[in-house]
């Protein structure tokens, strides 16, 4: 059954057509890689899914609701249900690693002792237990990426969206993170991943959506990275 | 909004205040300056009105009845007539006993004070007249000069003016000057307050502007508007509270140092500023708290509004 459905979605910024007539269906438990050249529109699709941007035309149905019609007051509740790893991390510069991850639970009004347990666990999972009290500007790119991942995972979301989660990582770390995403996917979470990394896509042997100039040019069930 | 969120929001506000301490300091100082300006004008106003009240009270008139054979009925009738005058606010009859008590209160030398007894009391009875408008005190004086009162009014006195035209002109000038100072004080005060509100608004806007990316991220993580906005409001309230404390300290220290000098100039009316401050402390704290809390809450609400709109 589809959890996310994009129906004839287009996005224009003024005269620039960034996405053109995209129709995609993502099912529960799928692992989808969205690949394409820089500027192909991968991040834009993610922005539409997080409601940072509204499509110029078309509908986006998530769990049966058209998210383009969400009221501003419903938006926070929708965002708490999805986990997103942003290409530029979007960590809070004034909060340390622990606080950044905890914030995602604090906004949902979790009790403090529960937050503590979960944050410690998820930071262990991404291998950052030794950096708990450092601020983002004191971390390496890869470490920041892990904080972003930890924050996205903290809710145990049913949908995990990852924009270039391995962009800053060396091959060993890349593979660790991919392992992690793979494990999360196996527990039933829909994972949508954008990447440039050919090796990653080829080894996954999962569904690949190839984009070019704002259009979907191929959508293979068990694809490889071909451009 | 439950108790846990309130605690959390307060904690965020306090932590943010500390982590942005330089901006916080700037905002707090701006707020302090505003409060000092406002308090200065309020204190000026209070002391000027105290001075002018004290001058006014010296312009009250007293009528003495040296002739003890005049009946009290006649004096009280005169008091009634005076009361019906439009410029007369209050008429108080001072009996011989009261005159004695007053004398013994003022006369420090006990041997002299004890000279006056109930049996030997040469002190005259009198009427103390408070006027509404000291500038028209001559009307009252003219009223007393009417021939029908000639046999009872023995002496009419005005403190400070003591009938001298020259003195009267000076006091009248003093009164109109204080009146002008009060009015001008309010005018200048209001302008200063408006200017400082603008500056504070900009300072708070700056503190929020530097963190607009943070606000964006908070929204993406799923924080609702209250959860984003209120820590900023808490932070601004903290500016206000600290500013109140700093300005109160500054005022008390300044008055403590300035008071001896003020005494020299204002001896005639003897205004004690430390006393005045103690007397009006509650009022000043309340005023400062109200103003700083209103300004800070208002400014932070306004400043953050545009970043919350998506
Ligand atoms: N706010 C905007 N205004 C105008 N053009 C925009 C805006 N945002 C994105 N674009 C354009 O949309 C196109 C697609 O951008 P997008 O970020 O989706 O690319 P991408 O596929 O994620 O690339 P990359 O692999 O480099 O991350 C780009 O050409 C970009 O310049
Ligand atoms: Mg991108």
């Amino acid at each position: 059954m589809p959890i996310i459905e994009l129906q004839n979605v287009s996005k224009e910024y003024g005269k620039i057509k960034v996405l053109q007539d995209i129709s995609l269906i993502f099912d529960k438990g799928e692992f989808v890689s969205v690949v394409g050249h820089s500027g192909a529109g991968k991040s834009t699709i993610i922005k539409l899914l997080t409601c940072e941007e509204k499509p110029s035309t078309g509908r986006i149905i998530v769990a049966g609701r058209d998210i383009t019609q969400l009221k501003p007051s419903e938006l926070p509740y929708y965002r708490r249900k999805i986990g997103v790893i942003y290409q530029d991390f979007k960590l809070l510069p004034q909060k340390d690693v622990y606080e950044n991850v905890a914030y995602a639970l604090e906004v949902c009004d979790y009790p403090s002792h529960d937050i503590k347990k979960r944050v410690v666990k998820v930071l262990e999972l991404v291998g950052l237990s030794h950096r708990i009290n450092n601020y983002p500007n004191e971390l390496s790119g890869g470490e920041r990426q892990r904080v972003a991942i930890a924050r996205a995972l903290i809710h145990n979301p049913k949908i995990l969206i990852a924009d270039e989660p391995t962009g800053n990582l060396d091959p060993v770390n890349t593979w660790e993170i991919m392992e992690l995403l793979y494990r999360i996917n196996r527990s039933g979470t829909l994972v949508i991943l954008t990447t440039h990394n050919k090796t990653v896509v080829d080894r996954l042997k999962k569904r690949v959506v190839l984009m070019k100039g704002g259009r979907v040019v191929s959508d293979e069930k068990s694809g490889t990275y071909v451009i | 909004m439950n108790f846990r969120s309130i605690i959390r929001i307060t904690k965020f506000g306090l932590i943010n205040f500390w982590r942005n301490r330089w901006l916080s300091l700037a905002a707090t100082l701006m707020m302090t300056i505003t409060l000092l300006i406002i308090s200065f004008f309020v204190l000026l106003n209070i002391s000027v009105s105290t001075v002018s009240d004290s001058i006014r009270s010296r312009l009250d008139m007293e009528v003495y009845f040296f002739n003890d054979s005049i009946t009290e009925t006649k004096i009280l009738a005169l008091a009634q007539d005076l009361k019906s005058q439009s410029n007369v606010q209050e008429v108080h009859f001072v009996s011989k006993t009261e005159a004695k008590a007053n004398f013994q209160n003022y006369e420090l030398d006990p041997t002299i004070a004890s000279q006056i007894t109930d049996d030997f009391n040469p002190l005259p009875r009198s009427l103390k007249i408070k006027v509404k408008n000291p500038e028209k005190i001559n009307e009252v004086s003219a009223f007393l000069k009417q021939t029908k009162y000639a046999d009872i009014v023995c002496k009419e006195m005005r403190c400070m003016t003591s009938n001298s035209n020259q003195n009267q002109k000076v006091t009248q000038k003093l009164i109109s000057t204080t009146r002008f100072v009060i009015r001008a004080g309010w005018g200048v005060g209001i302008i200063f307050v408006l200017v400082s509100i603008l500056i504070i608004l900009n300072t708070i806007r700056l503190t929020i502007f530097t963190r607009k990316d943070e606000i964006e991220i908070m929204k993406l993580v799923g924080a609702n508007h209250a959860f984003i906005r209120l820590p900023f409001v808490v932070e601004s309230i903290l500016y206000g509270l600290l500013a109140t404390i700093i300005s109160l300290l500054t005022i008390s220290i300044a008055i403590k140092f300035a008071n001896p000098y003020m005494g020299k100039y204002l001896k005639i009316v003897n205004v004690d500023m430390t006393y005045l401050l103690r007397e009006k402390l509650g009022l000043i704290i309340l005023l400062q708290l109200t103003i700083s809390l209103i300004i800070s809450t208002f400014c932070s609400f306004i400043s953050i509004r545009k970043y919350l709109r998506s």
Side-chain angles (χ1 to χ4, degrees):
Chain A
M1 62 168 246
I3 307 192
I4 300 180
E5 195 174 349
L6 286 83
Q7 301 174 343
N8 310 98
V9 171
S10 303
K11 177 70 186 171
E12 291 156 20
Y13 289 107
K15 287 213 155 39
I16 312 166
K17 292 188 166 133
V18 178
L19 293 179
Q20 295 180 54
D21 196 28
I22 306 268
S23 292
L24 283 170
I25 290 179
F26 300 126
D27 286 335
K28 187 173 187 294
E30 260 193 308
F31 195 121
V32 189
S33 306
V34 179
V35 299
H37 284 303
S38 186
K42 306 181 295 288
S43 295
T44 307
I45 288 192
I46 286 173
K47 282 195 182 127
L48 296 180
L49 289 176
T50 58
C51 286
E52 267 177 274
E53 299 282 352
K54 287 223 180 319
S56 309
T57 56
R59 305 204 308 156
I60 302 172
I61 317 288
V62 177
R65 278 206 68 176
D66 186 352
I67 59 163
T68 60
Q69 304 295 321
L70 286 180
K71 289 192 222 95
S73 58
E74 295 172 310
L75 213 51
Y77 298 95
Y78 167 68
R79 285 177 175 160
R80 292 172 199 176
K81 295 235 160 56
I82 55 174
V84 187
I85 304 160
Y86 295 93
Q87 192 167 9
D88 55 356
F89 317 134
K90 296 206 188 297
L91 300 177
L92 293 162
Q94 307 232 13
K95 292 188 188 292
D96 64 22
V97 169
Y98 179 91
E99 291 167 333
N100 257 289
V101 180
Y103 190 76
L105 292 178
E106 284 165 340
V107 299
C108 313
D109 198 29
Y110 275 63
S112 302
H113 57 93
D114 200 10
I115 293 180
K116 185 154 191 212
K117 261 202 320 243
R118 279 167 170 254
V119 174
V120 168
K121 215 172 101 195
V122 81
L123 285 176
E124 220 162 85
L125 187 72
V126 298
L128 266 185
S129 303
H130 58 301
R131 285 280 179 267
I132 271 187
N133 293 117
N134 286 92
Y135 289 87
N137 65 352
E138 300 164 349
L139 301 176
S140 75
E143 286 167 334
R144 277 179 226 170
Q145 192 114 48
R146 287 157 188 273
V147 183
I149 295 171
R151 185 180 61 188
L153 294 179
I154 195 86
H155 284 121
N156 299 323
K158 287 273 154 291
I159 302 169
L160 181 67
I161 301 169
D163 198 359
E164 297 274 0
T166 58
N168 289 280
L169 302 181
D170 58 53
V172 175
N173 276 306
T174 299
W175 211 243
E176 271 177 36
I177 297 294
M178 291 313 299
E179 270 306 315
L180 188 62
L181 293 182
Y182 192 66
R183 270 214 320 267
I184 289 155
N185 172 242
R186 265 207 316 245
S187 67
T189 302
L190 162 61
V191 175
I192 300 171
L193 164 82
T194 79
T195 182
H196 292 288
N197 196 320
K198 181 173 161 45
T199 1
V200 164
V201 178
D202 289 351
R203 265 178 80 176
L204 271 172
K205 299 193 173 58
K206 294 276 185 184
R207 180 178 169 193
V208 176
V209 173
L210 174 62
M211 295 191 61
K212 213 175 227 174
R215 290 179 188 278
V216 174
V217 291
S218 81
D219 185 350
E220 306 269 329
K221 264 277 162 273
S222 173
T224 49
Y225 196 105
V226 276
I227 292 178
Chain B
M1 178 107 345
N2 59 20
F3 185 65
R4 186 161 58 219
S5 312
I6 294 171
I7 294 287
R8 237 166 229 168
I9 283 165
T10 315
K11 201 181 90 192
F12 284 154
L14 294 175
I15 291 176
N16 290 347
F17 180 91
W18 179 242
R19 291 191 182 159
N20 296 290
R21 46 190 169 275
W22 290 109
L23 270 177
S24 307
L25 185 70
T28 305
L29 287 183
M30 275 323 303
M31 193 83 86
T32 309
I33 292 170
T34 308
L35 291 181
L36 283 176
I37 292 168
I38 295 173
S39 312
F40 174 76
F41 282 109
V42 170
L43 278 174
L44 181 76
N45 217 309
I46 293 174
S47 49
V48 166
S49 8
T50 316
V51 171
S52 84
D53 280 352
S54 122
I55 292 170
R56 270 157 196 270
S57 70
R58 277 157 200 247
L59 283 175
D60 294 344
M61 202 182 259
E62 292 182 17
V63 182
Y64 292 96
F65 308 95
F66 289 110
N67 188 346
D68 285 347
S69 63
I70 300 167
T71 61
E72 203 162 306
T73 344
K74 262 190 171 169
I75 297 174
L76 290 176
L78 172 61
Q80 275 310 318
D81 288 352
L82 277 167
K83 268 183 200 157
S84 61
Q85 287 287 296
S86 62
N87 194 24
V88 172
Q89 185 168 354
E90 201 187 311
V91 181
H92 175 69
F93 172 60
V94 181
S95 65
K96 275 184 118 46
T97 346
E98 198 177 328
K100 185 188 112 206
N102 284 345
F103 179 76
Q104 284 169 341
N105 270 344
Y106 284 121
E107 187 55 64
L108 293 176
D109 188 338
T111 49
I112 299 176
S114 61
Q115 298 277 304
I116 310 278
T117 62
D118 284 336
D119 297 329
F120 176 72
N121 183 355
L123 296 170
R125 293 164 293 174
S126 62
L127 284 179
K128 281 193 161 67
I129 306 161
K130 266 202 192 330
V131 292
K132 284 178 191 151
N133 184 353
E135 280 156 76
K136 290 190 185 157
I137 201 162
N138 280 342
E139 284 177 9
V140 182
S141 155
F143 176 80
L144 286 169
K145 287 213 173 75
Q146 290 174 96
T147 39
K148 58 174 169 170
Y149 301 125
D151 55 331
I152 55 168
V153 176
C154 305
K155 189 166 170 55
E156 160 223 328
M157 270 179 61
R158 285 178 233 166
C159 295
M160 280 183 74
T161 60
S162 55
N163 278 344
S164 135
N165 240 338
Q166 185 60 35
N167 272 349
Q168 200 167 345
K169 268 189 189 136
V170 172
T171 35
Q172 274 174 12
K173 193 147 190 181
L174 206 57
I175 289 172
S176 58
T177 311
T178 52
R179 198 173 285 165
F180 173 76
V181 168
I182 290 178
R183 277 194 199 140
W186 276 116
V188 176
I190 286 169
I191 292 171
F192 267 115
V193 169
L194 288 181
V195 170
S196 21
I197 287 176
L198 277 182
I199 296 176
I200 290 176
L201 182 64
N202 273 315
T203 315
I204 291 183
R205 258 168 56 171
L206 183 73
T207 65
I208 290 175
F209 174 79
T210 57
R211 280 145 70 191
K212 65 177 197 302
D213 295 340
E214 263 179 82
I215 294 173
E216 199 51 49
I217 296 171
M218 290 169 179
K219 278 182 357 195
L220 288 175
V221 178
N224 59 28
H225 284 188
F227 207 78
I228 298 173
R229 174 192 276 138
L230 293 179
F232 283 98
V233 176
V234 169
E235 216 180 312
S236 304
I237 285 177
L238 213 57
Y239 306 153
L241 289 180
L242 279 182
T244 306
I245 294 171
I246 298 175
S247 68
L248 278 175
L249 285 177
T250 315
I251 291 174
S252 353
I253 292 171
I255 284 184
K256 200 164 187 148
F257 277 104
N259 203 38
Y261 303 100
M262 309 243 322
K264 250 183 221 161
Y265 293 107
L266 298 174
K267 199 167 249 148
I268 37 157
V269 282
N270 93 73
V271 212
D272 183 353
M273 288 301 282
T274 42
Y275 170 77
L276 205 72
L277 186 69
R278 223 175 301 131
E279 181 98 310
K280 306 280 179 185
L281 191 67
L283 177 78
I284 290 172
I285 293 179
L286 198 72
L287 184 83
Q288 292 200 344
L289 270 183
T290 321
I291 291 178
S292 62
L293 292 188
I294 287 177
I295 294 182
S296 55
T297 317
F298 170 78
C299 289
S300 54
F301 252 91
I302 293 284
S303 318
I304 202 163
R305 209 183 38 182
K306 80 164 178 239
Y307 300 111
L308 284 180
R309 279 197 292 256
S310 26

